Amino acid sequence: MGDTLEFSDIYQEFKGSWNDGRLRFGKQTVVYKSSKTGKVDSIPAGELNLAQWRRVCLGHGIKLGTNSGHVYKYDGFRDTDMEKIADFFKANYKVELTEKDMCVKGWNWGTAKFSGPLLSFEVNESTAFEVPLSNVSQCATGKNEVTLEFHQNDDTDVSLMEVRFYVPPAQADERQDPVEAFAENVLSKADVIQATGDAVCIFKELQCLTPRGRYDIRIYPTFLHLHGKTFDYKIPYTTVLRLFLLPHKDQRQMFFVISLDPPIKQGQTRYHFLILLFSKEEELSLTLNMSEEDVERRFEGKLSKSMSGSLYEMVSRVMKSLVNRKITVPGNFLGHSGAQCITCSYKASSGLLYPLERGFIYVHKPPVHLRFEEISSVNFARGTTTTRSFDFEIETKQGNQYTFSSIEREEYGKLFDFVNAKKLSIKNRGFKEGMKGKIDEYSDSDEDQHDAYLERMKAEGKIREEGNDSEESDGESDESFNPGEEDDDIAEEYDSNASASDSSEDGDDSDGENSKKKKAKVVTEKKERKPRKGKKPRDAGAPKRPLSAYMLWLNNSRERIKSENPGISITEISKKAGEMWRQLGKDDKEEWDIKAGEARKQYDKAKREYKESGAGAAAASSPKKESKTSGGKKEEKKRKSAGGGDKEKERGGGNDSFKSREFVETSEDSSSDTDRKSKSKSKTKKKKESDEEEEVAVSTPASSEEECD
């Protein structure tokens, strides 16, 4: 037999996980080297006092015990390895390798035995499982129950965090409660923080947001103890990463945030942040439970034996001295309201986002801290429910995305300047720089136009209630809907109707009819504009907008989705496509982003050429002029025919109402030419107007000839 035995692909147990590596048995030592970390464990041969061969999940394993109480477990051996390992141990270590059977029945009722640093649970004198007590972080007792909590192993995806043991009630002749005896055996070997000695100071009934409740905070030299009505937490100072002192937006309260790693646990809940809320007005006089010499020697002038001031200042000052970490406060950022934070929502909960000098922190539910060095890019997006707010999206280098929504649009300029000054990558920089300094672009949204439309409707409703209103009030209602357009329309109306307006100046009845007709005109325009809700008419000749990367991908993949899912409905296709798009990698999406970018460039070029040709401006102005002209012409013709007939009856065919054939034909021809030019794009309206012109042209000369006769 050689001087050494060496095995590869051997697994070592550490906090419930198995790490692979190489194991070598030498004459003087047992050496194991982890393949993952490169760490080397060496066991002197003279320290070995226990060697067991066991059947385990990864084949066969060896359990080694030392005189100092340490236990080492190695798995991954083959069945044929037992004989040569037993001979090697007997020849070199003077230790016999014994075979130990494990219980695999799955029973949950057995006997708990404490042997050194191990808790062994045995069923019918066969070991079911073992718990290294050094992995226990907390031990809690109940009436007939003991709960063990374990340190979390960050190297594993799944960790065993809690085990509960039911302990039968004590017999009459037993002096000690079995539950207390069980807990004492665990605590004697467990890695549990013990509250030994007196607390340095105690803060009573502090309001805690996470975990929620009121807690007494006892400050010990090496850890922080939170004592509540239901739960207790012990937080070692070594787990504190950062301290934050943040002013509330109302300027009357303060947040004190403690970042923890690893987090404190309660069942399945993890608290990575401890958040305390203080009132600025609350004062406190504090006396440390230490002598002045000890205070001076330990804290080096950072603290004094007796202190007084605001409660939040006392807590933050004591924590800073004990943890020996700086307190992070907001920098130079000031929002629209003058506060150092921004009101927003994250995951359906409202909170405050604080831009710091080296990151962002959101409080309070759930708290989020993002450092600039782990941020890949940020994005400004319009709100999904309203255009009076916007969303601020942050994407990390690990691929996680955080969306802070419902931010007031007045905060945009301040936040954009801050992000730009910190040199963070902004996805839509070009678009937002165009918006910078003119947040009125938000006011061009559909919602703001809708508000103007509502105001116009209210004005028209007021006109209906008042009955016959003056011409000025009608003009004001029009201006409130389309400012800047009425002047041109009024000029057209009077130019095309000079004769009608002159002839209608003499009678009160004609004035009453005109006011009623103008009122009807307002109602008619409202019915025509109502379906559009204030939106500009679409130009049919303009180039079509390009498709996004998602729509290009969807058009290409639609048939494939149908073939893979026979009978799928249209809505289900959209849902399925959305899921598939989200699962695509960045490389797959890049192809469609490139195609979308090329389509956008072609669209911009076509749109620029279209505007340079002048077609866009003509198309935009023609619908307005058409609607105004058509409405004005119809009213003028009705007023002309009605006014002429009434005056003939009143004046009995006098010379003042006589119109020659040449005057009538000339005026009608000119008005018809104007109608043809303004209605060249609407054949239906053109035919209707021409029919009305013929009726007026035929009826008017006939009446004039009868009067002459």
Side-chain angles (χ1 to χ4, degrees), residues 317-537:
R317 187 175 174 184
V318 170
M319 287 297 300
K320 178 182 178 182
S321 302
L322 289 170
V323 178
N324 198 22
R325 293 189 182 276
K326 294 181 180 179
I327 295 180
T328 303
V329 297
N332 299 325
F333 175 83
L334 287 177
H336 174 72
S337 60
Q340 294 178 299
C341 57
I342 296 173
T343 303
C344 61
S345 296
Y346 177 65
K347 290 187 177 180
S349 296
S350 180
L352 299 174
L353 179 65
Y354 290 85
L356 308 175
E357 288 300 318
R358 297 183 181 179
F360 294 97
I361 186 170
Y362 172 83
V363 290
H364 73 99
K365 192 175 180 181
V368 178
H369 179 230
L370 299 170
R371 292 174 288 115
F372 290 155
E373 59 189 33
E374 61 182 351
I375 294 177
S376 173
S377 61
V378 300
N379 181 42
F380 294 87
R382 286 187 181 271
T384 56
T385 58
T386 176
T387 53
R388 295 189 180 276
S389 63
F390 66 94
D391 297 348
F392 183 56
E393 301 171 354
I394 299 178
E395 184 174 348
T396 63
K397 295 178 181 178
Q398 290 77 21
N400 300 323
Q401 183 168 334
Y402 300 85
T403 302
F404 303 97
S405 58
S406 301
I407 304 177
E408 296 179 356
R409 66 183 182 186
E410 289 81 7
E411 303 284 2
Y412 165 76
K414 301 283 187 180
L415 185 57
F416 183 88
D417 291 339
F418 176 82
V419 172
N420 202 26
K422 297 301 179 182
K423 298 181 180 180
L424 296 178
S425 174
I426 303 176
K427 281 188 176 181
N428 50 354
R429 176 181 293 274
F431 174 69
K432 292 301 174 184
E433 284 184 346
M435 292 177 56
K436 186 178 177 183
K438 56 171 187 177
I439 307 183
D440 290 340
E441 182 171 0
Y442 281 106
S443 64
D444 293 337
S445 61
D446 295 342
E447 182 174 335
D448 291 336
Q449 289 187 358
H450 181 68
D451 292 343
Y453 177 76
L454 288 177
E455 291 180 5
R456 177 176 175 268
M457 292 296 99
K458 290 178 182 179
E460 291 178 359
K462 189 175 181 180
I463 292 174
R464 295 191 193 97
E465 293 176 359
E466 293 177 354
N468 296 331
D469 237 351
S470 62
E471 294 179 1
E472 289 80 9
S473 63
D474 292 336
E476 288 175 1
S477 64
D478 288 342
E479 288 179 5
S480 64
F481 180 72
N482 284 322
E485 295 183 2
E486 267 316 291
D487 295 341
D488 298 337
D489 297 338
I490 292 172
E492 284 185 26
E493 186 175 346
Y494 283 110
D495 289 345
S496 61
N497 271 323
S499 60
S501 61
D502 292 337
S503 62
S504 62
E505 288 178 356
D506 297 328
D508 295 337
D509 295 337
S510 63
D511 292 339
E513 290 174 0
N514 288 340
S515 63
K516 291 180 182 178
K517 289 174 184 176
K518 285 194 175 184
K519 177 183 175 184
K521 170 186 172 183
V522 173
V523 175
T524 304
E525 288 182 3
K526 179 202 72 173
K527 291 180 180 178
E528 291 177 359
R529 292 178 184 270
K530 187 174 181 179
R532 297 186 300 176
K533 293 186 178 180
K535 293 183 179 179
K536 295 181 180 180

Side-chain angles (χ1 to χ4, degrees), residues 50-273:
L50 174 68
Q52 290 181 352
W53 180 266
R54 307 183 302 176
R55 178 67 184 270
V56 292
C57 59
L58 298 177
H60 292 80
I62 290 179
K63 174 184 173 183
L64 301 178
T66 64
N67 296 327
S68 59
H70 292 87
V71 177
Y72 302 90
K73 298 177 184 178
Y74 304 102
D75 291 0
F77 297 97
R78 293 188 294 270
D79 189 15
T80 56
D81 296 333
M82 178 183 175
E83 185 176 353
K84 58 182 179 181
I85 294 176
D87 294 340
F88 187 88
F89 273 37
K90 191 172 183 179
N92 295 281
Y93 302 152
K94 309 301 181 183
V95 176
E96 185 177 356
L97 182 63
T98 59
E99 191 170 358
K100 180 71 173 178
D101 294 331
M102 303 293 290
C103 178
V104 293
K105 292 182 178 180
W107 292 0
N108 60 354
W109 188 269
T111 304
K113 291 185 178 181
F114 294 91
S115 56
L118 288 179
L119 166 61
S120 177
F121 188 82
E122 297 183 354
V123 178
N124 296 333
E125 298 184 356
S126 296
T127 303
F129 62 88
E130 294 175 335
V131 177
L133 295 179
S134 59
N135 293 344
V136 177
S137 62
Q138 295 284 354
C139 180
T141 59
K143 183 177 180 181
N144 292 314
E145 190 177 72
V146 179
T147 303
L148 304 184
E149 295 183 8
F150 303 99
H151 293 291
Q152 185 176 3
N153 188 354
D154 297 332
D155 296 331
T156 60
D157 296 331
V158 179
S159 298
L160 177 64
M161 301 306 299
E162 185 179 279
V163 172
R164 294 186 180 183
F165 294 94
Y166 173 78
V167 182
Q171 300 297 327
D173 57 347
E174 294 185 8
R175 297 181 180 180
Q176 187 179 11
D177 185 4
V179 174
E180 295 297 332
F182 191 102
E184 287 180 4
N185 288 325
V186 172
L187 293 174
S188 64
K189 299 293 183 181
D191 184 16
V192 178
I193 299 174
Q194 298 293 329
T196 57
D198 295 331
V200 176
C201 60
I202 301 176
F203 298 99
K204 295 284 189 179
E205 293 291 323
L206 298 184
Q207 183 180 355
C208 192
L209 300 181
T210 55
R212 184 163 182 164
R214 287 195 172 270
Y215 290 84
D216 293 343
I217 298 183
R218 294 184 174 94
I219 305 295
Y220 288 90
T222 58
F223 68 95
L224 176 72
H225 183 200
L226 269 70
H227 175 69
K229 294 181 178 179
T230 307
F231 303 108
D232 283 7
Y233 303 96
K234 296 183 179 68
I235 305 174
Y237 295 143
T238 55
T239 64
V240 176
L241 291 182
R242 294 176 183 85
L243 302 174
F244 301 90
L245 187 61
L246 309 170
H248 197 281
K249 193 172 184 179
D250 59 9
Q251 302 298 326
R252 294 181 297 176
Q253 300 179 94
M254 296 290 292
F255 292 110
F256 185 63
V257 184
I258 303 174
S259 176
L260 304 173
D261 186 28
I264 56 177
K265 303 178 289 292
Q266 180 56 50
Q268 298 298 323
T269 308
R270 303 290 179 268
Y271 297 106
H272 292 270
F273 292 88

Side-chain angles (χ1 to χ4, degrees), residues 546-557 581 588-603:
L547 297 178
S548 64
Y550 168 72
M551 292 304 299
L552 292 172
W553 172 84
L554 178 59
N555 292 338
N556 185 69
S557 308
W581 176 256
D588 297 330
K589 289 184 179 181
E590 186 177 1
E591 173 188 355
W592 300 103
D593 290 336
I594 294 174
K595 292 182 179 180
E598 294 176 353
R600 182 71 187 183
K601 292 179 181 178
Q602 295 176 0
Y603 167 75

